[in-house]
Amino acid sequence: MDPDQEDGTMPDSEREAELFDAERTLQAAQRAGDVAALDELLVDQLIAIGPEGGKHTKREDLAAHRDRTSVIEELVEEELDLLVAGSTGVTFFLGRVAGVFDGTPFAARLRYTRTWIHDDPHGWRVLAAHISPV
């Protein structure tokens, strides 16, 4: 018997499928500027390191989307890898992103590394992120 199933938790393959879906939902919310969806997908303690090296909080990220100073006009996934260990997951996104950041237009090929946590009431949510130009 699978040890994950003995304690009532889901096997990694189901968690991986859910994490894959959560990552794609996050990408769609970013493209749409959907602040409500982003609010649900990001933990309150979120810390994200942007491609410019700056540290950003969930509150700052949501405000930028709400105020339209951060707008993602294009987000094209080239590659998506993930791993899951229990209630922690990591997604590795590589793709083209274009839009406006802090009021300045940009277009770049970026790699996002996101650390996700899973709990039953909320499902997968982003705890930390790091964005690097490629």
Side-chain angles (χ1 to χ4, degrees):
M1 181 171 208
D2 184 330
D4 285 335
Q5 293 174 343
E6 285 178 19
D7 67 4
T9 62
M10 204 179 300
D12 281 351
S13 60
E14 289 179 47
R15 283 265 167 91
E16 288 171 355
E18 288 179 354
L19 179 56
F20 185 84
D21 289 344
E23 171 66 33
R24 290 283 172 78
T25 300
L26 178 66
Q27 291 177 31
Q30 289 176 313
R31 276 191 302 274
D34 186 339
V35 175
L38 291 169
D39 188 32
E40 288 186 25
L41 288 162
L42 308 174
V43 299
D44 291 342
Q45 304 88 342
L46 172 81
I47 298 293
I49 305 301
E52 80 296 352
K55 185 168 101 173
H56 307 277
T57 65
K58 174 182 176 176
R59 188 169 155 175
E60 292 166 338
D61 187 51
L62 295 181
H65 282 283
R66 191 177 299 110
D67 299 343
R68 307 293 290 161
T69 57
S70 179
V71 177
I72 295 181
E73 297 164 348
E74 177 186 42
L75 188 128
V76 179
E77 178 185 299
E78 296 175 14
E79 184 180 301
L80 179 62
D81 295 306
L82 58 86
L83 60 89
V84 171
S87 61
T88 303
V90 181
T91 55
F92 304 92
F93 165 93
L94 174 64
R96 294 185 324 274
V97 184
V100 176
F101 180 74
D102 202 20
T104 303
F106 76 95
R109 191 163 180 246
L110 300 173
R111 181 171 298 279
Y112 287 74
T113 302
R114 295 186 178 102
T115 303
W116 298 73
I117 55 173
H118 185 278
D119 64 47
D120 288 331
H122 302 101
W124 286 109
R125 296 184 300 154
V126 181
L127 174 66
H130 187 269
I131 307 161
S132 299
V134 178

